[in-house]
Amino acid sequence: MLKLTIIVASLLLLTVAVPWPWALIPALALAPLAPLLCSRSTRRAFTHPDWRCLPENMEAQNLKKVTVDPALLIGKTWLQAELWMPFDKVDGERFRGQQGMMRLAAAIALTDECIDPAGSVSGCTPEEIAEWENSLNINRENIRRQNPKLDDARVSGFPGVIVMEGTGLRAYFVGSPSIMQACHLVQDGTERPLTAEDRNRLIYLPSNTLCYATGPVVDGKLGALCYLGAVRPVKRASPSVEALQAGQKLHRMGIIVCLSRSDRWSLETVRQMGIEWPEDEGSRDVLELIPRHEGDDQTRDFAAPVLKLIRERGEERYYRLLVSMFGLLLWPAATLCGGKFPFLLGLGCLCAGILLSREISLPRPPEHSNRSFLIPLIPGVLLPMVLHLFFSAVMREQRHADAGAMLCVAEASIFTLYYLSILLYDPRGMLRLAAGAAICLIGVLAAYLTLDSTELITLLFGFLAGMLCGVAVLVSHRYLASGGENTRTQ
């Protein structure tokens, strides 16, 4: 908008500085651009009850991409487990058929309370631990009943428990992959010595796995530790149908949906679900949608705010075209004036009326087309031309200029009051309309006081002619914008 402001300011200076009638040249561009600038300056920030949109001043024609949090695409989620027994990765569904399964299942069930929910290794809550244990068909209650806990234990800084197992005691431990450094045996079908090659395979384990070890307790002393295997909880997800439908709707409109990079886990999960939407690269034509709510209170239909934005910007475009048309049609009336002051006065009244609509929501415009803006230009241009011929035939030059001045200000007043009348549905609209009427009255009086003519009939005739021009433009526009022509021909 800064460029438009500079252009309008330059045109205004030229109109004021250039002698009449050469000032009509910059005035021709100033007439539509000044109301357009005022209309853009009164633009309301876009709001939506469920979404925050950044930037708030996004123009619909600039909207090419939409960025959303990939978490919105994640529907139902659940936890499963990846296993390494002891070093080979095993599908969780095949866990029950593996050798050494019973001892690893016992270690998992008996040490789950030793896992720190805020720890760096797992970070799982007790409820999440129970969820991925169930995915492995581990019945921890039965295991705990058969192996009652006697005491807590710790080895090399790793937590564990001592339980009764049959007629003896056994300790189970859980920790990061480095727990293997405390082990001397490995459960590889059967227990065997842990070799240097086995320890080198430690580097292939993900750092966030839970590794388990066990050893007998004899006479209160812990025997040789045996490494059992590792588990990594993984979150599985299915896509949100509502979010996918929203994305497809935008794609059909030619708008690209991008995924934010702020949540890498969600982004990775979305990729695992087979969604290959591009990532946000931070270009200027991107609208970022931020949820206002959390959990189930937040809708996943992110197409709704985009459609609302496009609709509202289209409504704003209607009012911009409307005031630009009003301003443009002041120029033919200005050609009847003897100087630039009546034109600038009328244009100022129109701009003031537009600025009075600030912070008031405009009603939805009628159905309109390009024709509803083009055809009203015909009476808006022809009537001043006809009146010019009439004034020239029956009036002296000075009276001609005075009548033209009143015509210009009167036409501007009609346009201003019409624009403000659309605010009447708002409680504050009546006050704005009254203020606009006062501005128009001041404009008419100011024009009258600057004229040399004292013939009221001449001035009244010019004023009524200006009202006629304004009403003719408004009637033709409203008739075409409301679809009256189509209704009549059916």
Coordinates of all heavy atoms in Angstrom, one line a residue, residues 364-417:
R364 N -22.6 -8.1 2.9 CA -22.2 -8.8 1.7 C -22.8 -8.1 0.5 O -23.9 -7.6 0.5 CB -22.7 -10.2 1.8 CG -22.1 -11.1 2.8 CD -22.3 -12.5 2.6 NE -21.8 -13.0 1.3 CZ -21.9 -14.2 0.9 NH1 -22.6 -15.1 1.6 NH2 -21.4 -14.6 -0.3
P365 N -22.0 -7.9 -0.5 CA -22.4 -7.2 -1.7 C -23.4 -8.1 -2.5 O -23.5 -9.3 -2.3 CB -21.1 -7.0 -2.5 CG -20.3 -8.2 -2.1 CD -20.6 -8.4 -0.7
P366 N -24.2 -7.4 -3.4 CA -25.1 -8.2 -4.2 C -24.4 -8.9 -5.3 O -23.2 -8.7 -5.5 CB -26.0 -7.1 -4.9 CG -25.1 -5.9 -4.9 CD -24.3 -6.0 -3.6
E367 N -25.1 -9.8 -6.0 CA -24.4 -10.5 -7.1 C -24.1 -9.5 -8.2 O -24.9 -8.7 -8.6 CB -25.4 -11.6 -7.6 CG -25.7 -12.7 -6.6 CD -24.5 -13.5 -6.2 OE1 -23.6 -13.6 -7.1 OE2 -24.4 -14.0 -5.1
H368 N -22.9 -9.5 -8.6 CA -22.5 -8.5 -9.5 C -21.5 -9.1 -10.6 O -21.0 -10.2 -10.4 CB -21.8 -7.3 -8.8 CG -20.5 -7.8 -8.1 ND1 -20.6 -8.4 -6.8 CD2 -19.2 -7.7 -8.4 CE1 -19.4 -8.6 -6.4 NE2 -18.5 -8.3 -7.3
S369 N -21.3 -8.3 -11.6 CA -20.4 -8.7 -12.7 C -19.7 -7.5 -13.2 O -19.9 -6.4 -12.8 CB -21.3 -9.4 -13.9 OG -22.1 -8.4 -14.4
N370 N -18.8 -7.7 -14.2 CA -18.1 -6.6 -14.7 C -19.0 -5.6 -15.4 O -18.8 -4.4 -15.4 CB -17.1 -7.1 -15.7 CG -15.9 -7.8 -15.1 OD1 -15.6 -7.7 -13.9 ND2 -15.3 -8.7 -15.8
R371 N -20.1 -6.1 -15.9 CA -21.1 -5.2 -16.6 C -21.7 -4.2 -15.7 O -22.1 -3.1 -16.0 CB -22.1 -6.1 -17.3 CG -23.1 -5.3 -18.1 CD -23.9 -6.2 -19.0 NE -24.6 -7.2 -18.2 CZ -25.4 -8.1 -18.8 NH1 -25.7 -8.1 -20.1 NH2 -26.0 -9.1 -18.0
S372 N -21.9 -4.7 -14.4 CA -22.6 -3.8 -13.4 C -21.7 -2.6 -13.0 O -22.2 -1.7 -12.4 CB -22.9 -4.6 -12.1 OG -21.8 -5.1 -11.5
F373 N -20.4 -2.7 -13.4 CA -19.5 -1.5 -13.2 C -19.2 -0.8 -14.5 O -19.0 0.4 -14.4 CB -18.2 -2.0 -12.6 CG -18.3 -2.4 -11.2 CD1 -18.3 -3.8 -10.9 CD2 -18.3 -1.5 -10.1 CE1 -18.4 -4.2 -9.6 CE2 -18.4 -2.0 -8.8 CZ -18.5 -3.3 -8.5
L374 N -19.3 -1.4 -15.6 CA -19.0 -0.8 -16.9 C -20.2 0.0 -17.4 O -20.0 1.2 -17.9 CB -18.6 -1.8 -17.9 CG -17.3 -2.6 -17.6 CD1 -17.0 -3.6 -18.6 CD2 -16.1 -1.6 -17.5
I375 N -21.4 -0.5 -17.4 CA -22.6 0.2 -17.9 C -22.9 1.4 -17.2 O -23.2 2.4 -17.8 CB -23.8 -0.8 -18.0 CG1 -23.5 -1.9 -19.1 CG2 -25.0 -0.1 -18.3 CD1 -24.6 -2.9 -19.3
P376 N -22.8 1.5 -15.8 CA -23.0 2.8 -15.2 C -22.1 3.9 -15.6 O -22.4 5.1 -15.4 CB -22.9 2.5 -13.7 CG -23.2 1.0 -13.6 CD -22.6 0.4 -14.9
L377 N -21.0 3.6 -16.2 CA -20.1 4.6 -16.7 C -20.7 5.4 -17.9 O -20.4 6.6 -18.1 CB -18.8 4.0 -17.2 CG -17.9 3.3 -16.1 CD1 -16.6 2.7 -16.8 CD2 -17.5 4.2 -15.0
I378 N -21.7 4.7 -18.6 CA -22.3 5.4 -19.7 C -23.1 6.6 -19.3 O -22.8 7.8 -19.8 CB -23.2 4.4 -20.5 CG1 -22.3 3.3 -21.1 CG2 -23.9 5.1 -21.6 CD1 -23.0 2.2 -21.8
P379 N -24.1 6.5 -18.4 CA -24.8 7.7 -17.9 C -23.8 8.7 -17.1 O -24.0 9.9 -17.2 CB -25.9 7.2 -17.0 CG -25.4 5.9 -16.6 CD -24.7 5.3 -17.7
G380 N -22.8 8.1 -16.4 CA -21.9 8.9 -15.7 C -21.1 9.8 -16.5 O -20.6 10.9 -16.1
V381 N -20.8 9.4 -17.8 CA -20.0 10.2 -18.7 C -20.9 11.0 -19.7 O -20.7 12.2 -19.9 CB -19.1 9.3 -19.5 CG1 -18.4 10.1 -20.6 CG2 -18.1 8.6 -18.6
L382 N -22.0 10.4 -20.1 CA -22.9 11.1 -21.1 C -23.6 12.2 -20.5 O -23.8 13.3 -21.2 CB -23.8 10.0 -21.8 CG -23.2 9.0 -22.7 CD1 -24.3 8.1 -23.3 CD2 -22.5 9.8 -23.9
L383 N -24.2 12.1 -19.3 CA -25.0 13.1 -18.7 C -24.1 14.4 -18.6 O -24.6 15.5 -18.9 CB -25.6 12.7 -17.4 CG -26.8 11.7 -17.5 CD1 -27.2 11.3 -16.2 CD2 -27.9 12.4 -18.3
P384 N -22.9 14.4 -18.0 CA -22.1 15.6 -17.9 C -21.8 16.2 -19.3 O -21.8 17.4 -19.5 CB -20.8 15.2 -17.3 CG -21.2 14.0 -16.4 CD -22.3 13.3 -17.3
M385 N -21.7 15.3 -20.4 CA -21.4 15.8 -21.7 C -22.7 16.6 -22.2 O -22.6 17.7 -22.8 CB -21.1 14.7 -22.6 CG -19.7 14.0 -22.4 SD -19.4 12.6 -23.5 CE -19.4 13.4 -25.1
V386 N -23.8 16.0 -22.0 CA -25.1 16.6 -22.4 C -25.3 17.9 -21.7 O -25.7 19.0 -22.3 CB -26.3 15.7 -22.2 CG1 -27.6 16.4 -22.5 CG2 -26.2 14.5 -23.1
L387 N -25.0 17.9 -20.4 CA -25.2 19.1 -19.6 C -24.2 20.2 -20.0 O -24.5 21.4 -20.0 CB -25.0 18.8 -18.1 CG -26.2 18.0 -17.5 CD1 -25.8 17.5 -16.1 CD2 -27.5 18.8 -17.5
H388 N -23.0 19.8 -20.4 CA -22.0 20.7 -20.9 C -22.5 21.5 -22.2 O -22.4 22.7 -22.3 CB -20.7 20.0 -21.3 CG -19.7 20.9 -21.9 ND1 -19.0 21.9 -21.3 CD2 -19.3 20.9 -23.2 CE1 -18.2 22.4 -22.1 NE2 -18.3 21.9 -23.3
L389 N -23.1 20.7 -23.1 CA -23.7 21.3 -24.3 C -24.8 22.3 -23.9 O -25.0 23.4 -24.5 CB -24.2 20.2 -25.2 CG -23.1 19.3 -25.8 CD1 -23.7 18.2 -26.7 CD2 -22.1 20.1 -26.6
F390 N -25.7 21.8 -22.9 CA -26.8 22.7 -22.5 C -26.3 23.9 -21.8 O -26.8 25.0 -22.1 CB -27.7 21.9 -21.6 CG -28.9 22.7 -21.0 CD1 -30.0 22.9 -21.8 CD2 -28.8 23.2 -19.8 CE1 -31.1 23.6 -21.3 CE2 -29.9 23.9 -19.3 CZ -31.0 24.1 -20.1
F391 N -25.3 23.8 -20.9 CA -24.8 25.0 -20.2 C -24.2 26.0 -21.2 O -24.4 27.2 -21.1 CB -23.7 24.6 -19.2 CG -24.3 23.9 -18.0 CD1 -23.4 23.2 -17.1 CD2 -25.6 23.8 -17.7 CE1 -23.9 22.5 -16.0 CE2 -26.1 23.1 -16.6 CZ -25.3 22.5 -15.8
S392 N -23.5 25.4 -22.2 CA -22.8 26.3 -23.1 C -23.8 27.0 -24.0 O -23.5 28.2 -24.4 CB -21.9 25.5 -24.1 OG -20.9 24.8 -23.3
A393 N -25.0 26.4 -24.2 CA -26.0 27.1 -25.1 C -26.8 28.1 -24.4 O -27.2 29.1 -25.0 CB -26.9 26.0 -25.6
V394 N -27.0 28.0 -23.1 CA -27.9 28.9 -22.4 C -27.3 29.8 -21.4 O -27.9 30.7 -20.8 CB -29.1 28.1 -21.8 CG1 -29.9 27.3 -22.8 CG2 -28.6 27.2 -20.7
M395 N -26.0 29.5 -21.0 CA -25.4 30.3 -19.9 C -24.1 30.9 -20.4 O -23.4 30.5 -21.3 CB -25.0 29.3 -18.8 CG -26.2 28.7 -18.1 SD -25.6 27.6 -16.8 CE -27.2 26.9 -16.2
R396 N -23.7 32.0 -19.7 CA -22.4 32.6 -20.0 C -21.3 31.7 -19.4 O -21.6 30.8 -18.6 CB -22.4 34.0 -19.3 CG -23.4 35.0 -19.8 CD -23.1 36.4 -19.3 NE -23.1 36.4 -17.8 CZ -24.2 36.6 -17.1 NH1 -25.4 36.8 -17.7 NH2 -24.1 36.6 -15.8
E397 N -20.1 32.0 -19.7 CA -19.0 31.1 -19.3 C -18.9 31.0 -17.8 O -18.7 29.9 -17.3 CB -17.7 31.7 -19.9 CG -16.5 30.8 -19.6 CD -15.2 31.3 -20.3 OE1 -15.3 32.2 -21.1 OE2 -14.2 30.7 -19.9
Q398 N -19.0 32.1 -17.1 CA -18.8 32.1 -15.6 C -20.0 31.3 -15.0 O -19.8 30.5 -14.1 CB -18.8 33.5 -15.1 CG -18.5 33.5 -13.6 CD -17.2 32.8 -13.2 OE1 -16.2 33.0 -13.8 NE2 -17.3 31.9 -12.2
R399 N -21.2 31.5 -15.5 CA -22.3 30.8 -14.9 C -22.2 29.3 -15.2 O -22.6 28.4 -14.5 CB -23.6 31.3 -15.5 CG -23.9 32.8 -15.1 CD -25.2 33.3 -15.8 NE -26.3 32.5 -15.5 CZ -27.5 32.6 -16.2 NH1 -27.6 33.4 -17.2 NH2 -28.5 31.8 -15.9
H400 N -21.7 29.0 -16.4 CA -21.4 27.6 -16.8 C -20.5 27.0 -15.8 O -20.7 25.9 -15.3 CB -20.8 27.6 -18.2 CG -20.5 26.3 -18.7 ND1 -19.9 26.1 -20.0 CD2 -20.5 25.0 -18.2 CE1 -19.7 24.8 -20.2 NE2 -20.0 24.1 -19.1
A401 N -19.4 27.6 -15.5 CA -18.4 27.1 -14.5 C -19.0 26.9 -13.1 O -18.7 25.9 -12.4 CB -17.2 28.0 -14.5
D402 N -19.8 27.9 -12.7 CA -20.4 27.8 -11.4 C -21.4 26.6 -11.3 O -21.4 25.9 -10.3 CB -21.1 29.1 -11.1 CG -20.1 30.3 -10.9 OD1 -18.9 30.0 -10.7 OD2 -20.6 31.4 -10.9
A403 N -22.2 26.5 -12.3 CA -23.2 25.3 -12.3 C -22.4 24.0 -12.4 O -22.8 23.0 -11.7 CB -24.1 25.5 -13.6
G404 N -21.3 24.0 -13.1 CA -20.5 22.7 -13.2 C -19.9 22.4 -11.8 O -19.8 21.3 -11.4
A405 N -19.5 23.5 -11.1 CA -18.9 23.2 -9.7 C -19.9 22.6 -8.8 O -19.6 21.7 -8.1 CB -18.4 24.5 -9.2
M406 N -21.1 23.2 -8.8 CA -22.2 22.6 -8.0 C -22.6 21.2 -8.4 O -22.8 20.3 -7.6 CB -23.4 23.5 -8.0 CG -23.2 24.9 -7.4 SD -22.6 24.8 -5.7 CE -24.0 24.1 -4.8
L407 N -22.5 21.0 -9.7 CA -22.8 19.6 -10.2 C -21.8 18.6 -9.7 O -22.2 17.5 -9.2 CB -22.8 19.6 -11.7 CG -23.2 18.3 -12.4 CD1 -23.8 18.7 -13.8 CD2 -21.9 17.5 -12.7
C408 N -20.5 19.0 -9.7 CA -19.5 18.1 -9.3 C -19.6 17.7 -7.8 O -19.5 16.6 -7.4 CB -18.1 18.7 -9.6 SG -16.7 17.6 -9.2
V409 N -19.8 18.8 -6.9 CA -19.9 18.6 -5.5 C -21.2 17.8 -5.2 O -21.2 16.9 -4.3 CB -19.9 19.9 -4.8 CG1 -20.1 19.7 -3.3 CG2 -18.6 20.6 -5.0
A410 N -22.3 18.1 -5.9 CA -23.5 17.3 -5.6 C -23.4 15.9 -6.0 O -23.9 15.0 -5.2 CB -24.7 18.0 -6.4
E411 N -22.8 15.6 -7.1 CA -22.6 14.2 -7.5 C -21.7 13.5 -6.5 O -22.0 12.3 -6.1 CB -22.0 14.1 -8.9 CG -21.9 12.7 -9.4 CD -21.4 12.6 -10.9 OE1 -21.1 13.7 -11.4 OE2 -21.4 11.5 -11.4
A412 N -20.7 14.1 -6.0 CA -19.8 13.5 -5.0 C -20.6 13.2 -3.7 O -20.4 12.2 -3.1 CB -18.6 14.4 -4.7
S413 N -21.5 14.2 -3.3 CA -22.3 14.0 -2.1 C -23.3 12.8 -2.3 O -23.4 12.0 -1.3 CB -23.1 15.2 -1.9 OG -22.3 16.4 -1.7
I414 N -23.9 12.6 -3.5 CA -24.7 11.5 -3.7 C -24.0 10.2 -3.5 O -24.4 9.2 -2.9 CB -25.4 11.6 -5.1 CG1 -26.4 12.7 -5.1 CG2 -26.1 10.2 -5.4 CD1 -27.6 12.5 -4.2
F415 N -22.8 10.1 -4.1 CA -22.0 8.9 -4.0 C -21.6 8.6 -2.6 O -21.6 7.5 -2.1 CB -20.7 9.0 -4.9 CG -21.0 9.0 -6.4 CD1 -20.1 9.7 -7.2 CD2 -22.1 8.4 -6.9 CE1 -20.4 9.7 -8.6 CE2 -22.4 8.4 -8.3 CZ -21.5 9.1 -9.1
T416 N -21.2 9.7 -1.9 CA -20.7 9.5 -0.5 C -21.9 9.0 0.4 O -21.7 8.1 1.2 CB -20.2 10.9 0.1 OG1 -19.1 11.3 -0.8 CG2 -19.7 10.7 1.5
L417 N -23.0 9.6 0.3 CA -24.2 9.2 1.1 C -24.6 7.8 0.8 O -25.1 7.1 1.7 CB -25.3 10.2 1.0 CG -25.0 11.6 1.5 CD1 -26.2 12.6 1.3 CD2 -24.7 11.6 3.0

